[in-house]
Amino acid sequence: MSALTWAVAAVVTDQAGRVLLCRRSGGGRWALPGGRLRRDESPLPAAVRAVRAETGWRVELVDLVGLYRLGDHAGAPPPAGRCGALPDVLVHVFRAQARDDGPAGPPVGGCQLSWHPPDALPEALTPTTRAALADALAGRSGALRETPPETVPAGQNGGSESTGAGGAPPGQRTAGPLGAGQRRP
């Protein structure tokens, strides 16, 4: 049995209403910025810290879009009081507003940043990102969802594999340099 991994992510919008997304290094799918909680953090400060670290943008959290559990839902449920098999990630997704006209500092790296109009989102989104964006853009708050395990499409990393065990949960990128993408178009 695995321990539950707590993560945070944010649907960050700018004054034009565009959504900030990160494309995982290696040309993978687009995801919301965020990361894992540290032992001494609660979700609110963790979301602000993780978004700034990953993107360089300072954000103001508006509200909670929802809680999204990433796990293997096809398997038998775990015994009472136990977490399921890897991946078992609970992501707090917040609605956030960019606080400035540009990043406050350089991002840590690991993702290519890009702003997208809500009516022109990329097709290649992680399942958690797709669900959270649908909820956020519909104005929903307090959504509770389970999303399928995220996989790397065949041909990347040698085949199809889950990103939960040894990979990165939603909002947590694998190490790598910042892509050649723009911080803001």
Side-chain angles (χ1 to χ4, degrees):
M1 296 292 158
S2 70
L4 182 65
T5 298
W6 294 79
V8 292
V11 178
V12 179
T13 56
D14 64 5
Q15 291 195 7
R18 298 177 301 171
V19 177
L20 181 62
L21 296 175
C22 298
R23 187 170 199 160
R24 296 177 181 188
S25 55
R29 291 183 276 180
W30 293 93
L32 298 172
R36 294 182 187 188
L37 270 73
R38 295 178 178 162
R39 291 185 188 263
D40 61 344
E41 283 183 309
S42 67
L44 293 169
V48 171
R49 174 198 50 79
V51 169
R52 178 149 184 201
E54 186 168 54
T55 68
W57 285 86
R58 291 185 326 149
V59 298
E60 179 179 338
L61 300 181
V62 176
D63 67 358
L64 178 69
V65 174
L67 299 175
Y68 299 81
R69 179 178 171 259
L70 168 67
D72 183 5
H73 312 301
R82 301 287 183 158
C83 295
L86 288 176
D88 201 0
V89 181
L90 183 63
V91 186
H92 294 73
V93 178
F94 295 93
R95 191 171 292 129
Q97 193 70 36
R99 290 182 55 189
D100 303 311
D101 289 334
V108 170
C111 72
Q112 170 190 354
L113 302 176
S114 185
W115 291 92
H116 299 269
D119 60 351
L121 294 170
E123 285 294 319
L125 297 171
T126 66
T128 301
T129 298
R130 186 174 305 285
L133 282 171
D135 289 336
L137 296 174
R140 290 189 282 271
S141 294
L144 301 173
R145 303 223 186 273
E146 294 198 25
T147 56
E150 298 181 24
T151 57
V152 176
Q156 294 179 4
N157 294 341
S160 180
E161 61 184 67
S162 170
T163 60
Q172 181 73 31
R173 308 293 166 250
T174 55
L178 180 64
Q182 60 281 46
R183 286 191 185 144
R184 187 171 194 183

